[in-house]
């Protein structure tokens, strides 16, 4: 589907505006069949086909017009039959095409008639699909103007030519007559008149208000939408809705007056829809309705005081008849909000977060290298030899086998055996070392039994291992067409199937593996998978890298995908103290998100964002689109050694609560011991991923089962999700590939800064009243105090947002407010208590401070 416009996601308030009086000339269509959607579709398709017919007829007329002149004259004078004239017509559309083209080109508009088919196509497309390829009012204005202007221009060029009959199809009869009139009136001044009218049309069409100025000309938003999108991205992160100032309101009013002069065609329903003034004020003020694209249903003609006529095309709210009785039982307030939100969606469309960066391009698959050949590396001889050795070993221990078959994977081959009746499974399980000895192979793993099958599995490493490239996994339909919230393509299973899972459903992932076994590559695979599927407006990363070198490649995507604290210069967190602050900041973000979900009556992030995109939540009440946040910690053991409980507590809180509001954790460690992966952390990480570890104890610590110590390394891993353990060969993505992907993303237009997390001040950094001198109060102290008291919320982020200040100055203001007794002391993740109950008490306090 083609995207016809770039929309702005910025919410602007319309409060305080005076309603404009409009004189409406409504057409009450009493004919019921015009309300039938089938009739409207039929009319729309007729206009589409008519536009194609007229274009082909006119185009053919350029070559066959002279030949068909006699046919046209015979039709109007001689009265010959249609059959005979149709056979003589040379036009591609035969007799009707010849007649239509003759009237449009020769008799009326000349070559300007070629503007009619595009207008009919735009109108038909609007009626059928409800989307405007171009604003109808602009298309009608441009078509009407250039029909006359081109005809007059061509007539003025050929008025002195003796062979008028040969050239008249360029100007048409209308252009020729107009040229004679203006030639008598102005002479050569006709050229100046044409230039003047074209200039005036351009000024009004593009709403140009300044010429030869250092400022850019004011252009209607619906015309240069790409420039507007770029301008918004340069100025501020447009992902967050903002309130409009009084100056902005005046600009919006001017735009509305321009839009109100448009032409709109609609078919009225007998059911009256609520006017804009009747909407709930909070919802009606959340959106600038004037810039919304119109959609077809009811025919309504509006006439302004200046005489301009507007034809609007709108779709009705779908209200099934069967649901009418149920709606009557709903509270009046809920019905008003529902109707208001539906009307806003019809007029402004659904909120689309990706329009914050409308030109963002996802990384191309070509940036990844292809390492694997795609061919099986295991020969028949190797399969037969391993089979014989397994059968021989089991026979030596008097264990009979009914059948055996092999499934070849990229690095491991699975031999499924069916023992004879009466053989204990535990007896085969105890022969793991004996089978490994007979095969002379490292990494034998016995699955007894295989879940869901009546067989016993013996996994044997291949002699020639196949490398699974990230490109071969990413480029598959299974990943590219996935509708998962956070899809991750980890690699290939033992049956050569691409393994794609959803991080949002895990909902947190705990990774372990000894040095050099592929843990860092696994993290890069997870991050790369998400970069290939999620838009920057939908996903943010918080990257913690105590080793300081593993995740530095992702610095380049700071303004697209990364999140950080307001006072952090580096987006990749390496200092342990800043890690503690970041984790606690994420806890504050989690609490704030839960408050938003509570106000919106939603249970999870998906429901909340759906409601926000349906325009049912008011951004002026703090609601906003919430992106997913993925916290990645590369080495947990180092943090636990240096910080201990300070790190464990926020990680445990996030793991317990954050899944519903879209914050997911990916925690990796080299040493999965019990003092690193504590019970409180482990209990909230149902998904565990283990590369090769050094001992059975580590395997049981991370997976609650053995087997991780029997892996062969180089990306060979076990994934535990619930009761199932899956063996996967991790995809390989090299450092230069990740660097190219980040370079590709970083070179594109991004946000003005990284996604800022809520501020967090440690207990040792809170300051005290004794440290603050109230005689040197900030110039904005009084304003900040009134803001805090009016909102009854002691938050530095509130001061930052409302007064548009930096983090450091807002922090000093909150310290001064605490010293003045307006707000209480720092309380961790909670907002400070406001000690002044009302503005009257505040004014008294401020007067005492001044004295």
């Amino acid at each position: 589907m083609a995207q016809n416009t770039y929309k702005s996601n910025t919410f602007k308030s319309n409060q305080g505006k005076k309603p404009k009086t409009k004189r409406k000339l409504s057409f009450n269509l009493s004919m019921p069949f015009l309300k039938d959607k089938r009739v409207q579709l039929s009319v729309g398709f007729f206009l589409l086909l008519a536009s194609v017919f007229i274009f082909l007829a006119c185009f053919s007329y350029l070559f066959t017009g002279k030949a068909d002149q006699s046919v046209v004259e015979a039709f109007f004078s001689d009265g010959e039959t249609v059959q005979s004239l149709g056979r003589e017509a040379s036009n591609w559309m035969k007799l009707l095409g010849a007649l239509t083209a003759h009237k449009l080109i020769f008799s009326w508009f000349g070559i300007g008639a070629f503007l009619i088919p595009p207008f009919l196509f735009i109108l038909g497309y609007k009626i059928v699909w409800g989307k405007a390829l171009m604003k109808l009012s602009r298309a009608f204005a441009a078509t009407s103007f250039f029909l006359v202007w081109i005809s007059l221009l061509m007539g003025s060029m050929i008025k002195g030519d003796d062979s008028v009959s040969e050239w008249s199809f360029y100007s048409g009869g209308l252009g020729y007559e107009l040229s004679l009139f203006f030639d008598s009136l102005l002479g050569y001044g006709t050229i100046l008149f044409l230039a003047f009218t074209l200039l005036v049309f351009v000024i009004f069409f593009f709403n140009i208000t300044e010429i030869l100025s250092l400022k850019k000309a004011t252009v209607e938003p619906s015309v240069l939408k790409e420039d507007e999108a770029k301008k918004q991205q340069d100025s501020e992160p447009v992902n967050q809705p903002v309130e409009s100032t009084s100056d902005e309101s005046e600009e919006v009013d001017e735009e509305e007056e321009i839009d109100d002069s448009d032409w709109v065609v609609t078919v009225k329903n007998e059911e009256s829809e609520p006017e804009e003034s009747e909407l709930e004020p909070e919802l009606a003020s959340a959106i600038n309705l004037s810039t919304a694209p119109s959609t077809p249903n009811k025919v309504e003609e509006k006439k302004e005081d200046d005489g301009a006529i507007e034809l609007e095309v709108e779709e009705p709210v779908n209200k099934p008849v069967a649901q009418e009785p149920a709606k009557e039982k709903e509270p009046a307030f809920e019905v008003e909000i529902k109707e208001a939100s539906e009307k806003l969606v019809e007029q402004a469309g659904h909120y689309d977060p990706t329009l914050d960066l409308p030109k963002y391009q996802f990384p191309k698959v070509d940036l990844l290298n292809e390492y694997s050949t795609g061919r099986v590396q295991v020969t028949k001889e190797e399969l037969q030899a391993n089979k014989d050795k397994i059968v021989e070993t089991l026979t030596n221990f008097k264990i009979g086998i009914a059948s055996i078959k092999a499934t070849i994977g990229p690095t491991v081959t699975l031999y499924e055996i069916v023992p004879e009746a009466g053989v204990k499974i535990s007896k085969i399980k105890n022969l793991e070392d004996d089978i490994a000895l007979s095969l002379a192979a490292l990494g034998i793993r016995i699955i007894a039994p295989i879940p869901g099958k009546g067989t016993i599995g013996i996994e044997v490493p291949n002699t020639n291992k196949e490398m699974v490239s990230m490109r071969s996994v990413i480029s598959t339909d299974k990943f590219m067409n996935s509708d998962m919230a956070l899809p991750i393509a980890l690699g290939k299973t033992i049956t050569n199937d691409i393994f794609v899972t959803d991080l949002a459903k895990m909902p947190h992932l705990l990774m372990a593996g000894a040095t050099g076994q592929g843990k860092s590559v696994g993290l890069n695979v997870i991050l790369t998978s998400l970069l290939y599927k999620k838009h920057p407006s939908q996903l943010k990363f918080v990257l913690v890298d105590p080793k300081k070198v593993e995740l530095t490649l992702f610095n380049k995507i700071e303004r697209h995908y990364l999140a950080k604290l307001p006072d952090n210069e580096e987006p990749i967190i390496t200092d342990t103290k800043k890690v503690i602050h970041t984790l606690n900041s994420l806890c504050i973000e989690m609490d704030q998100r839960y408050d938003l979900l509570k106000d919106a009556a939603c249970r999870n992030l998906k429901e909340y964002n759906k409601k926000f995109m349906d325009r049912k939540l008011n951004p002026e009440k703090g609601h906003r689109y919430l992106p997913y946040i993925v916290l990645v910690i590369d080495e947990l053991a180092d943090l636990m050694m240096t910080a201990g409980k300070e790190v464990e507590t926020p990680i445990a809180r996030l793991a317990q609560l954050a899944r519903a509001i879209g914050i997911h954790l990916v925690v990796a460690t080299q040493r999965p011991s019990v003092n690193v992966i504590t019970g409180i952390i482990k209990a909230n990480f149902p998904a565990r991923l283990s590369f090769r570890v050094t001992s059975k104890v580590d395997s049981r610590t991370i997976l609650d089962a053995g087997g991780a110590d029997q892996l062969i390394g180089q990306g060979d891993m076990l994934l535990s999700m619930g009761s199932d353990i899956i063996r996967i060969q991790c995809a390989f993505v090299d450092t230069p590939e990740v660097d190219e992907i980040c370079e590709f993303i970083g070179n594109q237009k991004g946000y003005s800064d990284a996604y800022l997390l809520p501020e967090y001040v440690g207990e040792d950094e809170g300051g005290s009243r004794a440290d603050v001198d109230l005689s040197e109060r900030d110039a904005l102290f009084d304003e900040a105090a009134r803001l805090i008291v009016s909102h009854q919320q002691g938050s530095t982020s509130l001061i930052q947002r409302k007064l548009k200040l930096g983090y450091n100055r807002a922090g000093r203001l909150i310290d001064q407010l605490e010293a003045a007794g307006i707000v209480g002391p720092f309380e961790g993740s909670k907002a400070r208590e406001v000690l002044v109950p009302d503005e009257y008490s505040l004014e008294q306090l401020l007067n005492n401070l001044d004295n």
Side-chain angles (χ1 to χ4, degrees):
M1 294 175 64
Q3 292 183 355
N4 55 337
T5 59
Y6 289 131
K7 301 178 183 176
S8 173
N9 281 335
T10 303
F11 288 82
K12 295 185 178 181
S13 176
N14 293 329
Q15 293 179 351
K17 298 182 184 178
K18 296 181 180 180
K20 295 181 287 184
T21 58
K22 297 183 181 180
R23 292 179 297 166
K24 297 185 179 180
L25 299 178
S26 60
F27 297 93
N28 295 320
L29 301 177
S30 58
M31 293 176 286
F33 72 92
L34 289 179
K35 302 175 185 177
D36 193 340
K37 188 65 177 178
R38 295 171 296 181
V39 175
Q40 297 176 30
L41 289 177
S42 301
V43 173
F45 280 116
F46 172 78
L47 292 175
L48 292 174
L49 296 177
S51 66
V52 177
F53 177 88
I54 295 174
F55 174 78
L56 294 176
C58 292
F59 187 76
S60 176
Y61 183 82
L62 298 178
F63 308 102
T64 63
K66 294 181 180 179
D68 287 342
Q69 185 71 25
S70 59
V71 175
V72 175
E73 293 175 355
F75 179 82
F76 289 108
S77 60
D78 299 344
E80 295 187 25
T81 62
V82 174
Q83 290 84 351
S84 61
L85 292 177
R87 285 191 293 269
E88 296 179 15
S90 301
N91 193 287
W92 297 346
M93 302 289 104
K94 288 303 179 181
L95 179 59
L96 183 58
L99 295 174
T100 302
H102 177 80
K103 283 295 181 182
L104 290 178
I105 296 179
F106 186 83
S107 301
W108 295 339
F109 305 114
I111 59 174
F114 280 94
L115 296 173
I116 296 177
F119 174 74
L120 293 180
F121 186 87
I122 292 172
L123 181 58
Y125 190 92
K126 178 75 173 178
I127 294 176
V128 174
W129 286 285
K131 293 185 179 180
L133 298 176
M134 180 181 180
K135 204 169 183 180
L136 290 181
S137 58
R138 304 180 65 80
F140 180 82
T143 303
S144 302
F145 174 79
F146 283 108
L147 277 177
V148 179
W149 192 86
I150 293 175
S151 298
L152 178 56
L153 175 65
M154 300 307 298
S156 300
M157 294 174 62
I158 66 173
K159 66 180 185 299
D161 200 324
D162 295 334
S163 58
V164 173
S165 61
E166 298 181 4
W167 292 90
S168 58
F169 71 87
Y170 284 108
S171 64
L174 175 64
Y176 182 71
E177 294 297 333
L178 285 176
S179 66
L180 293 179
F181 172 78
F182 279 97
D183 184 52
S184 303
L185 182 65
L186 299 175
Y188 288 107
T190 305
I191 302 299
L192 297 178
F193 174 77
L194 288 169
F196 171 73
T197 54
L198 179 62
L199 180 61
V200 171
F201 174 80
V202 170
I203 290 175
F204 278 89
F205 190 79
F206 293 102
N207 191 25
I208 298 175
T209 58
E210 295 183 8
I211 302 294
L212 299 178
S213 174
L214 295 177
K215 297 182 180 180
K216 294 184 179 179
T218 303
V219 182
E220 186 174 347
S222 61
V223 180
L224 300 179
K225 293 168 183 167
E226 295 181 9
D227 294 341
E228 185 185 27
K230 291 180 181 178
K231 196 182 301 180
Q232 290 178 350
Q233 294 164 10
D234 290 335
S235 61
E236 62 179 1
V238 295
N239 187 48
Q240 300 182 3
V242 297
E243 299 179 4
S244 63
T245 60
S246 58
D247 296 338
E248 292 174 340
S249 299
E250 294 176 3
E251 295 177 1
V252 173
D253 285 340
E254 294 177 2
E255 294 175 2
E256 286 181 348
E257 291 176 4
I258 296 170
D259 289 342
D260 286 342
S261 65
D262 300 336
W263 284 53
V264 181
V265 180
T266 48
V267 183
K268 274 193 179 177
N269 286 336
E270 294 178 359
E271 253 179 282
S272 60
E273 294 182 359
E275 297 289 337
E276 179 182 350
S277 60
E278 298 174 356
L279 300 179
E280 183 67 25
E282 296 172 352
L283 291 174
S285 64
I287 282 186
N288 182 3
L289 300 177
S290 64
T291 59
S294 51
T295 47
N297 183 27
K298 98 182 154 174
V299 179
E300 178 178 307
E301 183 177 348
K302 302 178 183 177
K303 194 166 184 179
E304 294 294 323
D305 294 336
D306 57 359
I309 300 177
E310 180 176 4
L311 295 176
E312 234 174 41
V313 184
E314 299 181 15
E315 272 186 7
V317 180
N318 293 326
K319 298 180 180 179
V321 179
Q323 296 181 0
E324 288 296 334
K327 289 185 178 180
E328 294 178 359
K329 298 179 182 179
E330 294 180 2
F333 179 72
E334 294 182 5
V335 173
E336 288 180 4
I337 292 180
K338 187 174 182 180
E339 291 180 352
S341 63
E342 290 175 350
K343 187 173 181 65
L344 294 181
V345 169
E346 288 177 9
Q347 296 184 354
H350 291 275
Y351 178 89
D352 187 357
T354 61
L355 293 178
D356 291 348
L357 298 177
K359 289 192 174 182
Y360 177 79
Q361 296 181 354
F362 286 93
K364 301 177 182 177
V365 180
D366 297 340
L367 298 175
L368 298 169
N369 298 329
E370 182 63 75
Y371 298 100
S372 60
T373 60
R375 293 176 296 186
V376 178
Q377 304 290 332
V378 181
T379 61
K380 292 184 179 179
E381 292 77 10
E382 181 181 348
L383 288 175
Q384 188 62 42
N386 289 339
K387 174 185 174 182
D388 294 341
K389 291 177 181 177
I390 292 174
V391 173
E392 181 182 355
T393 303
L394 294 176
T395 304
N396 292 337
F397 290 93
K398 298 180 181 181
I399 296 175
I401 298 176
S403 65
I404 183 171
K405 67 175 183 178
T407 303
I408 303 173
T411 57
V412 175
T413 299
L414 173 64
Y415 295 88
E416 295 183 54
I417 63 174
V418 179
E420 292 181 347
V423 177
K424 290 184 178 181
I425 294 178
S426 59
K427 192 174 182 180
I428 300 177
K429 182 72 174 175
N430 294 332
L431 296 177
E432 185 173 4
D433 294 335
D434 298 286
I435 296 174
L437 178 62
S438 64
L439 294 173
L442 176 66
I444 299 296
R445 177 170 172 263
I446 294 181
I447 311 171
I450 298 178
K453 295 183 179 181
T455 59
I456 296 173
I458 301 176
E459 295 175 349
V460 181
N462 299 334
T463 303
N464 299 316
K465 302 175 183 63
E466 177 190 358
M467 181 180 290
V468 178
S469 65
M470 191 66 187
R471 178 169 181 169
S472 65
V473 176
I474 288 289
S475 59
T476 58
D477 292 338
K478 187 174 183 180
F479 176 78
M480 286 299 185
N481 299 328
S482 171
D483 58 353
M484 299 177 181
L486 296 174
I488 297 174
L490 288 177
K492 288 185 179 181
T493 64
I494 201 169
T495 57
N496 263 320
D497 294 329
I498 303 298
F499 186 83
V500 181
T501 186
D502 190 357
L503 178 61
K505 292 184 178 180
M506 284 185 173
H508 310 295
L509 179 62
L510 189 60
M511 299 175 62
T515 304
Q517 303 304 315
K519 182 166 48 63
S520 296
V521 174
L523 287 175
N524 287 337
V525 166
I526 293 173
L527 295 173
T528 303
S529 298
L530 296 174
L531 291 178
Y532 268 91
K533 283 293 288 183
K534 305 304 291 184
H535 190 272
S537 63
Q538 300 170 336
L539 174 67
K540 302 299 175 184
F541 294 116
V542 177
L543 303 182
V544 177
D545 183 16
K547 291 189 286 189
K548 302 181 180 182
V549 294
E550 295 294 344
L551 301 177
T552 52
L553 296 173
F554 296 94
N555 270 320
K556 300 175 183 177
I557 61 174
E558 174 185 355
R559 294 184 301 110
H560 296 81
Y561 284 99
L562 299 190
K564 65 177 184 179
L565 289 173
D567 58 339
N568 273 12
E569 296 181 1
E570 295 294 330
I572 311 297
I573 302 127
T574 57
D575 182 68
T576 303
K577 190 174 183 181
K578 290 184 178 180
V579 171
I580 297 172
H581 287 193
T582 301
L583 293 176
N584 283 281
S585 176
L586 279 174
C587 291
I588 299 174
E589 173 79 10
M590 176 183 69
D591 294 335
Q592 292 177 354
R593 289 191 173 200
Y594 269 117
D595 290 338
L596 293 177
L597 262 65
K598 177 184 176 183
D599 293 340
C602 298
R603 297 181 59 189
N604 54 53
L605 183 78
K606 187 175 181 180
E607 292 180 8
Y608 177 86
N609 283 339
K610 175 69 167 57
K611 211 168 185 178
F612 186 84
M613 290 189 292
D614 289 342
R615 310 284 188 182
K616 295 180 180 178
L617 300 176
N618 191 348
E620 292 185 359
K621 289 189 173 182
H623 291 290
R624 54 194 169 91
Y625 182 86
L626 301 178
Y628 285 96
I629 297 178
V630 177
L631 168 64
V632 179
I633 301 178
D634 187 29
E635 184 50 69
L636 179 64
D638 182 73
L639 297 179
M640 294 296 290
M641 289 175 62
T642 55
K645 288 291 183 181
E646 292 180 284
V647 170
E648 180 184 2
T649 301
I651 288 179
R653 281 203 70 212
L654 292 171
Q656 289 169 348
L657 302 174
R659 65 189 70 182
I661 43 84
I663 299 178
H664 302 279
L665 281 62
V666 178
V667 179
T669 180
Q670 291 181 1
R671 193 177 46 143
S673 56
V674 291
N675 59 338
V676 174
I677 305 177
T678 61
I680 192 172
I681 291 179
K682 185 177 177 182
N684 294 286
F685 282 81
R688 325 268 180 78
L689 192 153
S690 178
F691 294 88
R692 186 183 180 188
V693 293
T694 54
S695 67
K696 292 182 182 292
V697 175
D698 289 346
S699 177
R700 293 191 176 278
T701 303
I702 182 67
L703 296 177
D704 290 332
D709 56 315
Q710 297 293 329
L711 299 175
I712 60 177
Q714 297 180 344
D716 191 17
M717 63 185 180
L718 293 175
L719 176 64
S720 172
M721 297 178 64
S723 59
D724 296 336
I725 296 181
I726 307 170
R727 190 165 186 172
I728 303 171
Q729 175 61 39
C730 183
F732 177 74
V733 55
D734 204 0
T735 302
E737 298 175 68
V738 179
D739 190 39
E740 287 186 23
I741 293 172
C742 295
E743 187 77 26
F744 178 84
I745 296 174
N747 289 335
Q748 300 185 54
K749 185 67 179 178
Y751 296 101
S752 59
D753 197 4
Y755 184 86
L756 297 181
L757 299 172
E759 61 162 323
Y760 175 81
V761 181
E763 295 180 359
D764 56 341
E765 303 173 15
S768 63
R769 297 190 180 189
D771 300 332
V772 179
D773 186 3
L774 291 179
S775 62
E776 300 178 357
R777 297 194 301 274
D778 192 283
L780 295 176
F781 176 84
D782 291 357
E783 187 175 353
R786 294 186 180 96
L787 178 67
I788 292 294
V789 172
S790 62
H791 285 77
Q792 285 295 303
Q793 179 183 350
S795 170
T796 306
S797 60
L798 177 66
I799 297 177
Q800 281 184 271
R801 188 171 67 254
K802 295 293 185 180
L803 301 184
K804 299 179 181 179
L805 303 178
Y807 172 78
N808 294 330
R809 187 176 182 184
R812 287 193 298 271
L813 276 169
I814 207 73
D815 290 338
Q816 292 174 4
L817 292 172
E818 180 186 355
I822 297 174
V823 297
F826 178 75
E827 298 181 7
S829 61
K830 297 181 181 180
R832 294 173 182 255
E833 180 185 0
V834 181
L835 304 178
V836 179
D838 51 45
E839 294 186 5
Y840 177 76
S841 303
L842 175 65
E843 294 301 329
Q844 290 183 328
L845 191 149
L846 293 177
N847 291 334
N848 294 333
L849 289 177
D850 293 336
N851 296 332

